[in-house]
């Protein structure tokens, strides 16, 4: 997929997708930003795949990630953060727009807590497109948290 998303003004015409000039492209597009919560196999795979394909990806870990996860993240241009305040600082420092999607890739039993923390982080981290749960099974109560 294209890691670039249209952020132009409603009255500005959309440029063609094949714009090659980074300078010209920067005037019309911004790199898509994603948050992946969880540094297990699913979260790390998802974050590294998005990162390798050119997206701006933040991987949220509860604590210092394992060495293998940190190496893979570095090779994939994935930024690791340990709290939502740190994520907001990194987004601001990089001039990133809003998150396009948030992927919750925690263990099933940790999902409600992770979702609640994300909601409490405030509207600045609310994605423009979707919050996606990446887990096996159904977690009762998530529909109440996200509406």
């Amino acid at each position: 997929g294209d890691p670039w998303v249209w952020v132009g003004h409603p009255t500005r015409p959309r440029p063609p997708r094949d714009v090659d000039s980074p300078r010209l492209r920067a005037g019309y597009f911004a790199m898509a930003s994603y948050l992946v919560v969880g540094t297990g196999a699913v979260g790390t795979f998802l974050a590294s795949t998005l990162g390798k394909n050119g997206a701006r990806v933040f991987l949220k870990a509860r604590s210092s990630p394992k060495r293998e996860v940190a190496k893979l993240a570095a090779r994939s241009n994935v930024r690791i953060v340990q709290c939502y305040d740190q994520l907001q600082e990194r987004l601001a420092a990089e001039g990133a727009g809003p998150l396009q999607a948030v992927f919750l890739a925690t263990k099933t039993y940790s999902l409600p807590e992770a979702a609640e923390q994300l909601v409490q982080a405030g509207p600045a981290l609310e994605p423009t497109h979707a919050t996606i749960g990446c887990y096996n099974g159904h977690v009762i109560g998530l529909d109440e948290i996200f509406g």
Side-chain angles (χ1 to χ4, degrees):
D2 189 357
W4 300 90
V5 293
W6 172 240
V7 293
H9 191 274
T11 60
R12 181 189 287 176
R14 184 181 182 113
R17 284 276 191 196
D18 61 350
V19 173
D20 287 332
S21 164
R23 175 187 246 175
L24 182 59
R25 216 176 149 116
Y28 292 103
F29 292 94
M31 186 184 290
S33 299
Y34 300 98
L35 170 63
V36 178
V37 180
T39 58
V42 173
T44 302
F45 171 78
L46 181 59
S48 65
T49 300
L50 288 167
K52 285 178 186 176
N53 284 289
R56 179 184 288 122
V57 182
F58 297 90
L59 181 60
K60 163 98 171 40
R62 282 197 290 190
S63 58
S64 295
K66 294 179 183 174
R67 186 177 348 176
E68 297 81 15
V69 171
K71 282 182 181 179
L72 186 58
R75 284 195 310 260
S76 306
N77 199 28
V78 172
R79 299 126 175 103
I80 297 177
V81 295
Q82 293 181 0
C83 66
Y84 291 117
D85 290 340
Q86 186 183 22
L87 172 60
Q88 289 179 347
E89 290 170 7
R90 296 284 301 269
L91 286 167
E94 294 182 23
L99 296 167
Q100 275 66 48
V102 173
F103 298 91
L104 295 172
T106 62
K107 298 288 184 195
T108 306
Y109 54 81
S110 298
L111 201 52
E113 178 187 349
E116 189 61 39
Q117 288 174 357
L118 186 61
V119 169
Q120 289 178 1
L125 296 183
E126 188 174 314
T128 58
H129 289 76
T131 298
I132 303 162
C134 302
Y135 55 92
N136 294 327
H138 177 72
V139 179
I140 297 172
L142 280 185
D143 53 343
E144 295 165 1
I145 293 172
F146 288 111

